[in-house]
């Protein structure tokens, strides 16, 4: 299993949106420029985030995007699911039923009624990952990055950079 780089870009760009003043928005071009990525690629990612109601568009000449809900209500899993989709990672193909020793027209209950143990383990692992990613929010990320990792000046410089793009 591998998440696309879109998940990473989404989380980074959403992080910058946490500090947007009430009634203001950030344009996709500004986010793409700041992050050093293609505007068209980020637009596709943001379309998925918008569809998932993580962000909302603000129309107008100075329009752009703003968070659709507070940062403490947006989880990492919300972002993963918006960008990657909601299909289970593991898709059991019931390979156990293809065993050469079995009569395909008369499969025993051990191969049809009980769940495949491999599927059970894989789905449990996926559920644990979902649970963990649901415990980490955009607000948690913001607090970690700007209170524990980067100097306060970096947060202030980031806020100023986005403010100055609107002038």
């Amino acid at each position: 299993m591998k998440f696309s780089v879109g998940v990473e870009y989404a989380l980074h760009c959403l992080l910058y949106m946490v500090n947007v003043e009430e009634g203001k928005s950030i344009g996709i071009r500004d986010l793409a420029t700041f992050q050093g990525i293609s505007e068209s690629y980020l637009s596709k990612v943001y379309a998925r985030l918008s569809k998932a109601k993580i962000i909302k568009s603000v129309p107008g000449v100075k329009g752009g995007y703003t968070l659709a809900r507070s940062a403490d209500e947006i989880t990492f899993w919300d972002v993963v699911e918006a960008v990657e989709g909601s299909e289970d990672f593991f898709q059991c193909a019931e390979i156990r039923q293809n065993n050469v020793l079995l009569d395909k027209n008369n499969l025993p209950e051990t191969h049809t009624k009980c769940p495949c143990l491999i599927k059970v383990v894989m789905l449990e692992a996926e559920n644990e990952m979902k649970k963990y990613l649901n415990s980490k929010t955009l607000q948690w990320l913001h607090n970690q990055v700007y209170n524990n990792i980067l100097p306060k000046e970096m947060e202030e410089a980031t806020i100023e950079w986005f403010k100055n793009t609107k002038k």
Side-chain angles (χ1 to χ4, degrees), residues 1 5 7 10 19 23 25 28 49 52 56 59 70-71 78 91 95 128 132-133 138 149-150 157:
M1 172 205 40
V5 71
V7 171
N19 288 327
S25 64
I28 203 85
L49 295 173
K56 59 185 176 185
S70 67
D78 293 334
Q91 303 295 317
I95 292 170
E128 287 300 311
Y132 181 76
L133 293 175
L138 194 53
I149 298 172
L150 295 179

Side-chain angles (χ1 to χ4, degrees), residues 70-152:
S70 67
D72 63 344
E73 295 175 330
I74 299 170
T75 69
F76 276 50
W77 182 250
D78 293 334
V79 175
V80 168
E81 193 170 41
V83 174
E84 300 293 342
S86 58
E87 191 172 296
D88 288 337
F89 298 136
F90 182 75
Q91 303 295 317
C92 184
E94 283 296 342
I95 292 170
R96 66 189 175 151
Q97 294 176 359
N98 297 334
N99 186 318
V100 71
L101 300 176
L102 299 174
D103 176 1
K104 312 269 185 292
N105 297 318
N106 191 21
L107 290 169
E109 287 188 2
T110 56
H111 286 70
T112 59
K113 298 274 187 208
C114 67
C116 173
L117 192 53
I118 294 168
K119 176 182 179 179
V120 169
V121 170
M122 297 302 268
L123 292 179
E124 284 175 357
E126 184 174 333
N127 286 333
E128 287 300 311
M129 181 184 64
K130 284 180 187 178
K131 190 166 89 177
Y132 181 76
L133 293 175
N134 267 316
S135 75
K136 301 300 180 192
T137 66
L138 194 53
Q139 188 63 56
W140 171 86
L141 178 64
H142 181 272
N143 292 343
Q144 291 298 310
V145 169
Y146 291 116
N147 294 334
N148 297 329
I149 298 172
L150 295 179
K152 197 67 178 163

Side-chain angles (χ1 to χ4, degrees), residues 11-20 26 34-35 138-162:
L11 286 165
H12 276 282
C13 289
L14 290 169
L15 175 62
Y16 306 133
M17 295 175 69
V18 171
N19 288 327
V20 174
I26 296 181
F34 191 82
Q35 209 46 57
L138 194 53
Q139 188 63 56
W140 171 86
L141 178 64
H142 181 272
N143 292 343
Q144 291 298 310
V145 169
Y146 291 116
N147 294 334
N148 297 329
I149 298 172
L150 295 179
K152 197 67 178 163
E153 298 82 36
M154 183 61 93
E155 180 181 23
E156 292 164 358
T158 301
I159 292 168
E160 276 306 305
W161 190 90
F162 282 106

